[in-house]
PDB file of all heavy atoms in Angstrom:
ATOM      1  N   HIS V  29      11.549  -9.030   6.395  1.00  0.00           N
ATOM      2  CA  HIS V  29      11.743  -7.590   6.545  1.00  0.00           C
ATOM      3  C   HIS V  29      10.610  -7.061   7.422  1.00  0.00           C
ATOM      4  O   HIS V  29       9.469  -7.461   7.255  1.00  0.00           O
ATOM      5  CB  HIS V  29      11.700  -6.937   5.155  1.00  0.00           C
ATOM      6  CG  HIS V  29      12.017  -5.486   5.175  1.00  0.00           C
ATOM      7  ND1 HIS V  29      11.075  -4.522   5.454  1.00  0.00           N
ATOM      8  CD2 HIS V  29      13.174  -4.816   4.945  1.00  0.00           C
ATOM      9  CE1 HIS V  29      11.623  -3.330   5.389  1.00  0.00           C
ATOM     10  NE2 HIS V  29      12.902  -3.478   5.086  1.00  0.00           N
ATOM     11  N   PRO V  30      10.900  -6.161   8.367  1.00  0.00           N
ATOM     12  CA  PRO V  30       9.840  -5.659   9.246  1.00  0.00           C
ATOM     13  C   PRO V  30       8.652  -5.055   8.495  1.00  0.00           C
ATOM     14  O   PRO V  30       7.521  -5.131   8.953  1.00  0.00           O
ATOM     15  CB  PRO V  30      10.550  -4.592  10.094  1.00  0.00           C
ATOM     16  CG  PRO V  30      11.988  -4.936  10.026  1.00  0.00           C
ATOM     17  CD  PRO V  30      12.199  -5.610   8.696  1.00  0.00           C
ATOM     18  N   GLY V  31       8.880  -4.482   7.327  1.00  0.00           N
ATOM     19  CA  GLY V  31       7.790  -3.887   6.556  1.00  0.00           C
ATOM     20  C   GLY V  31       6.771  -4.891   6.062  1.00  0.00           C
ATOM     21  O   GLY V  31       5.656  -4.530   5.720  1.00  0.00           O
ATOM     22  N   GLU V  32       7.116  -6.185   6.047  1.00  0.00           N
ATOM     23  CA  GLU V  32       6.188  -7.199   5.573  1.00  0.00           C
ATOM     24  C   GLU V  32       5.086  -7.496   6.574  1.00  0.00           C
ATOM     25  O   GLU V  32       4.088  -8.119   6.232  1.00  0.00           O
ATOM     26  CB  GLU V  32       6.941  -8.487   5.232  1.00  0.00           C
ATOM     27  CG  GLU V  32       7.865  -8.320   4.049  1.00  0.00           C
ATOM     28  CD  GLU V  32       8.626  -9.577   3.723  1.00  0.00           C
ATOM     29  OE1 GLU V  32       8.595 -10.538   4.502  1.00  0.00           O
ATOM     30  OE2 GLU V  32       9.269  -9.597   2.664  1.00  0.00           O
ATOM     31  N   ALA V  33       5.233  -7.055   7.802  1.00  0.00           N
ATOM     32  CA  ALA V  33       4.243  -7.354   8.832  1.00  0.00           C
ATOM     33  C   ALA V  33       3.002  -6.484   8.732  1.00  0.00           C
ATOM     34  O   ALA V  33       2.002  -6.764   9.373  1.00  0.00           O
ATOM     35  CB  ALA V  33       4.873  -7.195  10.222  1.00  0.00           C
ATOM     36  N   GLY V  34       2.998  -5.442   7.934  1.00  0.00           N
ATOM     37  CA  GLY V  34       1.825  -4.577   7.817  1.00  0.00           C
ATOM     38  C   GLY V  34       2.047  -3.245   8.503  1.00  0.00           C
ATOM     39  O   GLY V  34       3.011  -3.044   9.230  1.00  0.00           O
ATOM     40  N   THR V  35       1.134  -2.322   8.263  1.00  0.00           N
ATOM     41  CA  THR V  35       1.251  -0.982   8.824  1.00  0.00           C
ATOM     42  C   THR V  35       0.327  -0.827  10.014  1.00  0.00           C
ATOM     43  O   THR V  35      -0.524  -1.663  10.278  1.00  0.00           O
ATOM     44  CB  THR V  35       0.893   0.075   7.755  1.00  0.00           C
ATOM     45  OG1 THR V  35      -0.455  -0.146   7.341  1.00  0.00           O
ATOM     46  CG2 THR V  35       1.808  -0.008   6.561  1.00  0.00           C
ATOM     47  N   ASP V  36       0.472   0.301  10.721  1.00  0.00           N
ATOM     48  CA  ASP V  36      -0.374   0.558  11.881  1.00  0.00           C
ATOM     49  C   ASP V  36      -1.841   0.733  11.503  1.00  0.00           C
ATOM     50  O   ASP V  36      -2.719   0.267  12.205  1.00  0.00           O
ATOM     51  CB  ASP V  36       0.115   1.803  12.630  1.00  0.00           C
ATOM     52  CG  ASP V  36       1.436   1.558  13.337  1.00  0.00           C
ATOM     53  OD1 ASP V  36       1.762   0.381  13.591  1.00  0.00           O
ATOM     54  OD2 ASP V  36       2.136   2.537  13.626  1.00  0.00           O
ATOM     55  N   ASP V  37      -2.129   1.406  10.416  1.00  0.00           N
ATOM     56  CA  ASP V  37      -3.511   1.630   9.999  1.00  0.00           C
ATOM     57  C   ASP V  37      -3.667   1.360   8.508  1.00  0.00           C
ATOM     58  O   ASP V  37      -3.739   2.286   7.703  1.00  0.00           O
ATOM     59  CB  ASP V  37      -3.947   3.058  10.330  1.00  0.00           C
ATOM     60  CG  ASP V  37      -5.432   3.266  10.103  1.00  0.00           C
ATOM     61  OD1 ASP V  37      -6.161   2.271   9.926  1.00  0.00           O
ATOM     62  OD2 ASP V  37      -5.871   4.428  10.095  1.00  0.00           O
ATOM     63  N   PRO V  38      -3.717   0.097   8.122  1.00  0.00           N
ATOM     64  CA  PRO V  38      -3.787  -0.224   6.705  1.00  0.00           C
ATOM     65  C   PRO V  38      -5.160  -0.019   6.061  1.00  0.00           C
ATOM     66  O   PRO V  38      -5.258  -0.033   4.839  1.00  0.00           O
ATOM     67  CB  PRO V  38      -3.374  -1.691   6.656  1.00  0.00           C
ATOM     68  CG  PRO V  38      -3.716  -2.223   7.993  1.00  0.00           C
ATOM     69  CD  PRO V  38      -3.547  -1.084   8.948  1.00  0.00           C
ATOM     70  N   VAL V  39      -6.211   0.183   6.845  1.00  0.00           N
ATOM     71  CA  VAL V  39      -7.535   0.410   6.254  1.00  0.00           C
ATOM     72  C   VAL V  39      -7.586   1.868   5.813  1.00  0.00           C
ATOM     73  O   VAL V  39      -7.778   2.778   6.612  1.00  0.00           O
ATOM     74  CB  VAL V  39      -8.673   0.071   7.240  1.00  0.00           C
ATOM     75  CG1 VAL V  39     -10.028   0.342   6.588  1.00  0.00           C
ATOM     76  CG2 VAL V  39      -8.570  -1.376   7.695  1.00  0.00           C
TER      77      VAL V  39
END
Side-chain angles (χ1 to χ4, degrees):
H29 186 276
E32 293 179 350
T35 61
D36 290 339
D37 189 13
V39 179

